[in-house]
């Protein structure tokens, strides 16, 4: 979470490129009070280009070559939004990310890299395997290895692109594929490689010595190089080469010139003829002084090759300039290095060095490169101790208007005076989509002292309330999760969601920021409510120390159809619809100890609604149901056994877990609620026998927006599970069974 200092300026970083990882690290070491950082990135684990060929060659694993932006953003006190930016509103200073409200910035920095150009070659997008975006490449590469291993006879690979990337990729993929074939007793000689470039030579940005060395290496490795071979079309079985005709291929790897994303130019930023953002020597957009850009996506006055080396070097200057711009101080110039040392690998733990007119090669150079790269990566994985939270001095970040606005905060009232101001509230509510339903007689569209609902004849209203502190620094996603969490109770009862009243506490701050936060959290809640058919009918908001949000949710159901915790029948099986582990994962995240992808997957799981699950469970005759939340899986099961007058057996190994939960529990990281939940161990008959099992603590892990736990007649369990899987609950599984109430006082038996 960010510090307690009120937010005065928002710096938004788009893309987790090589320069922005430095910005995060340096802001983490030395925060700037009053500045809030937000990173928006399409990849939570961002690849380090220097090590990619080594990964492809099988010399590194995936985590070795990726910087985990989760802990890094946490270290920097930055909000991390997972999404792909597709446009800017430069007038309103908004960043557009599909699937969430626009993100406001005072200063914006773009470091989104480039991709191999596929747009101008017909068929390249459909049939070639571009090396970026990285997540697609990783899938393509995995699939390609499978195809090669499954194939019989000759397999022809064409690598298109004669720069360092193309040469490295040809050599490293060849090394890996040949090794795999050899390991499986196959014949590596059935792989045929060709490298095609439209240039008159390979490695045009390097010296003649480097070119000579690589020409030799490629020849020795049996990779045929075709110069002056411009690929003009790609087809399913090969490529069309200008003036040379068709060349057959089983796979085409695409590592051509860098292409710019279209959205910066389309948004109105000044771009060069290829679409890269034009910046001055201070890395600031030549058209929009609030916007900075670095790395491949930037076009500098003094053009340099698109290479990660430059993006890395720009990081410290960019950090300084973002700080300086926030404080209104003069900016620093970035001076690109004239010559730089390039260490280009040959895929087999051997490398060629290139600097100016000098070149060299050898195994030692690879060892050196490996050492440099690992040391670079360590800077982002082994982070220094967190900087102490700064006091509320805002220094030069706040201008006089901001200081005047903030000086009134210290004297903010409690009680009703702590409400969010009526103008802010009405502006936010006016922006929300209309909230209408026939049976909501008085709601947000015609506000009164209270909301009024109609309960149709024969139906009853079920009601539940939930409210909690934000555990992620993203008000929109938090609003979505909080609403989903609250609705879980309604669905567990088998009811249809009808309406909700919201209660929000928003951190003190400048009016614009309070308004944005409230708007984001409510938009999130509405985006969860809307697909369920429920409307927001009213609410209450106040200012406080930290963001907290909750909802009172109302549902409707035929009285006879109510599904309750009691009702389990001996012989039923227990079905759980979602994996568990959110408590330990977010406790680890707060300490910067959870991998970004674990947290990301946990958030995605918390966003899965239980609405369809409830329909399935009901259809297959569920006898009792509850949603798994704060008391943990075991706590909720105990409640069900008590209400049903039965016992239950739980198969620990069958319980689905979120990725990383076993690791964080093994590291001893547990939710602060865990000790209270643990009191329920008295309900476990064989506590002594199971207590030391490494996964046992997870049974007490409190869940946010957890799945449904239901008892279903054994005869319909298989069909019920199939139906659940069909509608997307891929982790739904039988985790135990209901048995007759026995003599023992403890209702639960845990099977290992
Ligand atoms: C095979 C290969 C090997 C290479 N080897 C080297 C090498 O050894 N040394 C070297 O210096 N260079 C190398 N390069 C070049 C290098 O990859 C690039 O120059 C470098 O990655 C550019 O860095 P960057 O910081 O600009 O962006 P990137 O490293 O590409 O990072 C961009 C980030 O932005 C995110 N992003 C992208 N679009 C969006 C969006 N719309 N919204 C939000 N986030 C977005 C991505 O998820 C990613 O996190 C190699 C390239 C290839 C293809």
């Amino acid at each position: 979470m960010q510090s307690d200092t009120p937010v005065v300026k928002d710096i938004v970083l788009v893309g987790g490129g090589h320069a922005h990882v430095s910005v995060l690290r340096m802001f983490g070491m030395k925060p700037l009070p009053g500045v809030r950082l937000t990173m928006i990135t399409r990849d939570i684990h961002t690849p380090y280009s220097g090590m990619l060929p080594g990964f492809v060659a099988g010399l590194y694993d995936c985590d070795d070559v990726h910087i985990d932006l989760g802990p890094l953003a946490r270290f920097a006190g930055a909000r991390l939004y997972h999404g792909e930016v597709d446009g800017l509103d430069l007038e309103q200073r908004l960043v557009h990310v599909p699937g969430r409200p626009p993100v406001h910035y005072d200063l914006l920095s773009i470091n989104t890299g480039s991709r191999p150009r596929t747009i101008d070659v017909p068929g390249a997008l459909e049939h070639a395997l571009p090396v970026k975006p990285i997540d697609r490449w990783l899938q393509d590469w995995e699939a390609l290895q499978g195809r090669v291993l499954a194939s019989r006879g000759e397999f022809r690979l064409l690598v298109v692109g004669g720069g360092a990337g193309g040469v490295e990729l040809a050599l490293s993929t060849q090394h890996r594929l040949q090794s795999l074939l050899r390991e499986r007793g196959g014949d590596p000689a059935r792989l045929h490689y060709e490298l095609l470039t439209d240039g008159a030579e390979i490695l045009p940005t390097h010296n003649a010595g480097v070119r000579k060395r690589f020409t030799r290496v490629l020849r020795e490795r049996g990779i045929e190089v075709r110069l002056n071979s411009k690929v003009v079309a790609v087809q399913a079985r090969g490529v069309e080469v200008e003036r040379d005709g068709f060349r057959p291929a089983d796979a085409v790897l695409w590592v051509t010139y860098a292409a710019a994303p279209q959205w910066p130019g389309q948004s109105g930023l000044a771009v060069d003829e290829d679409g890269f953002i034009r910046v001055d020597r201070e890395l600031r957009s030549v058209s929009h002084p609030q916007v900075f850009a670095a790395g491949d996506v930037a076009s500098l006055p003094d053009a340099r090759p698109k290479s990660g080396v430059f993006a890395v070097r720009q990081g410290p200057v960019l950090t300084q300039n973002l700080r300086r711009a926030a404080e209104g101080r003069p900016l620093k110039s970035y001076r690109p290095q004239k010559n730089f040392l390039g260490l280009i690998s040959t895929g087999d733990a051997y490398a060629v060095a290139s600097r100016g007119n000098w070149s060299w090669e050898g195994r030692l150079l690879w060892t050196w490169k490996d050492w440099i790269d690992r040391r670079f990566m360590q800077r982002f994985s082994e982070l220094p101790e967190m900087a102490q939270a700064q006091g509320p001095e805002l220094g030069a970040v706040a201008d006089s208007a901001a200081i005047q606005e903030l000086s009134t905060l210290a004297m903010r009232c409690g009680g009703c005076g702590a409400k969010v101001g009526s103008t802010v509230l009405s502006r936010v509510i006016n922006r929300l989509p209309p909230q209408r339903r026939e049976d909501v007689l008085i709601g947000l569209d015609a506000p009164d002292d209270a909301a009024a609902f109609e309960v149709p004849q024969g139906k009853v209203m079920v009601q539940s309330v939930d409210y909690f502190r934000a555990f992620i620094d993203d008000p929109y996603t938090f609003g979505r999760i909080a609403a989903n969490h609250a609705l879980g109770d309604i669905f567990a009862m088998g009811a249809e969601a009808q309406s909700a009243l919201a209660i929000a506490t928003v951190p003190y701050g400048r009016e614009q920021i309070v308004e944005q936060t409230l708007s984001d959290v409510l938009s999130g809640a509405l985006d969860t409510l809307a697909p369920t058919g429920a409307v927001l009918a009213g609410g209450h908001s106040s200012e406080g120390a930290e963001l907290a949000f909750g909802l009172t949710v109302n549902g409707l159901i035929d009285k006879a159809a109510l599904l309750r915790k009691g009702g389990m029948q001996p012989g039923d099986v227990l079905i759980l619809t979602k994996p568990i582990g959110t408590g330990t994962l977010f406790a680890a995240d707060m300490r910067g100890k959870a991998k970004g992808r674990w947290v990301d997957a946990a958030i995605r799981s918390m966003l899965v609604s239980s609405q369809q699950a409830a329909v399935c469970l009901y259809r297959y005759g569920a006898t009792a149901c509850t949603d798994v939340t704060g008391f943990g899986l075991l706590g909720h099961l105990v409640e069900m056994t008590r209400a049903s007058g039965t016992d239950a057996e739980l198969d620990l190994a069958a319980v689905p877990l979120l990725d990383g939960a076993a690791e964080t529990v093994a590291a001893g990281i547990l939710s602060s609620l865990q000790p209270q939940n643990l009191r329920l161990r008295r309900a476990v008959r064989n506590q002594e026998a199971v207590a030391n099992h490494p996964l046992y603590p997870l049974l007490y892990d409190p869940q946010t927006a957890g799945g449904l736990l239901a008892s279903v007649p054994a005869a319909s369990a298989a069909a019920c599970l199939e139906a659940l899987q069909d509608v997307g609950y891929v982790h739904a599984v039988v985790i135990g069974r209901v048995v007759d109430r026995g003599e023992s006082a403890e209702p639960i038996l845990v099977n290992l």
Side-chain angles (χ1 to χ4, degrees):
M1 297 279 141
Q2 315 255 347
S3 76
D4 294 340
T5 312
V7 177
V8 178
K9 281 197 177 133
D10 268 310
I11 299 184
V12 175
L13 309 173
V14 175
H18 294 53
H20 277 175
V21 291
S22 273
V23 174
L24 286 181
R25 188 174 185 277
M26 291 169 90
F27 266 89
M29 311 262 286
K30 195 169 165 217
L32 188 56
V35 162
R36 176 168 65 179
L37 284 183
T38 305
M39 172 171 278
I40 309 171
T41 180
R42 64 179 296 279
D43 296 306
I44 295 287
H45 291 252
T46 195
Y48 172 48
S49 50
M51 291 173 92
L52 262 188
F55 165 70
V56 168
L59 303 171
Y60 299 120
D61 70 27
C62 207
D63 278 342
D64 288 336
V65 305
H66 285 85
I67 296 170
D68 186 346
L69 296 173
L72 185 59
R74 169 84 50 193
F75 171 71
R79 312 190 296 182
L80 184 64
Y81 292 0
H82 190 185
E84 185 164 3
V85 171
D86 67 356
L88 303 172
D89 180 338
L90 294 160
E91 282 278 304
Q92 302 293 321
R93 298 196 195 166
L94 297 173
V95 182
H96 291 291
V97 192
R100 62 171 308 127
V103 183
H104 172 267
Y105 65 85
D106 295 294
L107 291 171
L108 176 70
S109 178
I110 304 172
N111 179 205
T112 50
S114 61
R115 292 179 182 184
R117 195 182 299 169
T118 45
I119 194 106
D120 40 7
V121 180
L125 204 56
E126 297 82 6
H127 303 300
L129 312 180
V131 72
K132 286 187 182 176
I134 196 68
D135 51 345
R136 177 173 159 193
W137 161 252
L138 294 180
Q139 281 171 21
D140 287 346
W141 172 228
E142 184 98 20
L144 177 60
Q145 293 173 65
R147 274 178 62 205
V148 169
L149 291 177
S151 65
R152 297 279 165 268
E154 279 198 349
F155 196 98
R156 300 185 69 82
L157 287 117
L158 289 189
V159 179
V160 183
V167 169
E168 274 193 304
L169 205 71
L171 291 165
S172 52
T173 53
Q174 186 206 41
H175 176 77
R176 181 70 183 145
L177 291 173
Q178 287 184 339
S179 310
L180 284 174
L181 283 172
R182 246 181 249 114
E183 277 165 24
R184 286 161 175 74
D187 176 15
R190 70 183 178 83
L191 283 182
H192 290 272
Y193 262 86
E194 273 181 36
L195 183 89
L196 273 65
T197 171
D198 60 358
E201 54 196 12
I202 55 166
L203 298 159
T205 57
H206 292 270
N207 64 60
V210 173
R211 283 198 285 278
K212 212 166 140 196
R213 290 175 195 277
F214 269 104
T215 304
R216 192 202 75 235
V217 171
L218 290 162
R219 194 179 52 242
E220 285 169 4
R221 298 268 291 268
I223 298 180
E224 193 179 330
V225 178
R226 294 181 159 267
L227 305 174
N228 301 311
S229 297
K230 183 171 179 181
V231 173
V232 289
V234 185
Q235 295 158 16
R237 305 295 308 164
V239 303
E240 200 65 47
V241 181
E242 195 174 60
R243 290 191 299 274
D244 210 15
F246 185 74
R247 298 221 52 85
D250 296 299
V252 179
L253 309 190
W254 201 256
V255 206
T256 59
Y257 304 104
Q262 292 186 341
W263 58 265
Q266 283 168 352
S267 305
L269 278 177
V271 292
D272 68 13
E273 57 281 7
D274 293 319
F276 294 103
I277 302 167
R278 286 184 56 218
V279 294
D280 57 21
R281 291 206 157 71
E282 290 147 351
L283 304 175
R284 195 197 270 257
S285 154
V286 296
S287 58
H288 292 80
Q290 305 78 21
V291 180
F292 290 75
D296 280 9
V297 79
S299 168
L300 283 98
D302 192 3
R304 286 284 188 277
K306 300 284 180 204
S307 161
V309 173
F310 293 105
V312 168
R313 290 282 181 94
Q314 286 161 10
V317 181
L318 180 65
T319 310
Q320 282 215 38
N321 283 351
L322 289 171
R323 297 178 81 96
R324 284 166 173 262
E327 295 173 326
R329 290 194 288 139
L331 306 187
K332 290 251 176 193
S333 283
Y334 161 70
R335 289 187 206 295
Q337 59 270 46
K338 278 264 174 300
N339 287 319
F340 65 94
L341 177 71
L343 290 166
I344 310 166
S345 65
T346 57
D348 50 355
Y350 190 92
V352 175
S354 160
R355 185 183 165 91
N357 286 323
W358 175 84
S359 72
W360 197 249
E361 64 180 85
R363 284 210 180 277
L364 259 182
L365 282 174
W366 162 261
T367 311
W368 188 34
K369 174 176 165 55
D370 175 58
W371 179 78
I372 294 174
D373 287 340
R374 286 186 190 273
R375 205 176 53 146
F376 174 79
M377 294 300 273
Q378 258 172 19
R379 296 176 57 218
F380 303 102
S381 57
E382 293 171 19
L383 296 163
E385 282 305 303
M386 299 272 210
Q388 289 298 310
Q390 304 279 315
E393 310 100 50
L394 293 168
V397 170
D399 56 23
S400 55
I403 288 170
Q404 200 182 359
E405 202 182 322
L406 289 168
S407 63
T408 61
L409 290 182
M411 295 179 284
R412 287 279 159 102
C413 301
C416 282
K419 279 172 83 154
V420 169
S422 62
T423 42
V424 169
L425 194 59
S426 54
R427 275 203 301 264
V428 170
I429 289 175
N430 284 341
R431 280 206 303 268
L432 299 177
Q435 300 291 303
R436 270 184 223 112
R437 237 181 97 115
E438 289 269 296
D439 52 1
V440 177
L441 305 177
I442 300 176
L444 266 191
D445 55 336
D448 214 308
D449 289 336
F453 310 104
E454 189 163 289
V455 179
Q457 205 141 39
K459 300 243 178 195
V460 291
M461 177 173 275
V462 289
Q463 241 187 1
S464 177
V465 62
D466 273 297
Y467 177 76
F468 45 85
R469 291 163 56 206
F471 55 94
I472 48 171
D473 217 345
D474 173 355
Y476 171 75
T477 307
F478 172 55
R480 285 184 65 193
I481 293 170
N484 208 23
H485 182 90
L487 285 167
D489 289 324
I490 300 294
F491 298 137
M493 305 284 293
E496 163 213 358
Q498 183 222 35
S499 53
L501 301 175
I503 177 149
T505 304
V506 186
Y508 306 112
R510 299 189 69 182
E511 190 171 288
Q512 181 203 18
I513 299 210
V514 169
E515 183 173 332
Q516 182 73 47
T517 308
L518 186 60
S519 170
D520 283 357
V521 81
L522 284 177
S523 302
L526 289 192
D527 284 353
T528 294
L529 289 174
T532 70
V535 296
L536 187 67
H540 179 81
S541 59
S542 61
E543 289 187 9
E546 56 185 358
L547 179 64
F549 184 68
L551 293 159
T552 299
V553 281
N554 304 316
L556 298 171
I557 186 168
D558 288 339
K559 200 169 169 184
L562 266 174
L563 201 53
R564 307 198 49 186
K565 287 178 186 162
M568 296 202 298
Q569 300 298 317
D572 287 351
V573 296
L574 295 168
I575 289 182
L576 180 65
T577 61
K578 284 198 209 178
I580 61 169
T582 60
T584 172
L585 283 169
F586 282 91
D589 183 41
M590 275 176 65
R591 294 167 174 77
K593 303 279 184 214
K595 289 191 192 297
R597 62 172 176 272
W598 297 345
V599 173
D600 198 47
I603 290 176
R604 271 186 276 120
S605 174
M606 290 189 286
L607 290 173
V608 174
S609 165
S610 287
Q611 187 177 25
Q612 291 302 319
V615 173
C616 276
L617 292 165
Y618 192 78
R619 193 183 323 134
Y620 287 94
T623 50
C625 185
T626 191
D627 62 329
V628 180
T629 51
F631 298 149
L633 179 59
L634 198 113
H636 290 284
L637 180 59
V638 170
E639 285 186 336
M640 291 177 86
T641 54
R642 280 187 188 144
S644 307
T646 61
D647 286 355
E649 287 183 13
L650 195 58
D651 303 332
L652 184 57
V655 175
L657 304 180
L658 285 164
D659 278 353
E663 285 89 335
T664 51
V665 163
I669 304 174
L670 300 168
S671 156
S672 54
L673 198 60
Q674 181 100 359
Q676 290 179 46
N677 287 354
L678 254 179
R679 291 187 199 141
L680 274 174
R681 63 181 177 269
R682 284 179 310 220
V684 177
R685 208 172 308 150
N686 55 340
Q687 158 72 13
E688 288 210 348
V690 292
N692 290 329
H693 190 282
L695 297 181
Y696 183 63
L698 278 160
L699 297 182
Y700 301 89
D701 186 64
Q703 302 305 295
T704 302
L708 297 181
L709 174 63
S711 55
V712 173
S716 50
C720 181
L721 278 182
E722 203 180 317
L724 282 166
Q725 307 257 353
D726 282 352
V727 287
Y729 299 90
V730 290
H731 297 283
V733 69
V734 171
I735 59 163
R737 61 211 60 80
V738 182
V739 295
D740 281 318
R741 183 85 190 90
E743 296 294 307
S744 160
E746 302 94 355
I748 310 289
L749 183 77
V750 176
N751 297 317
L752 295 182

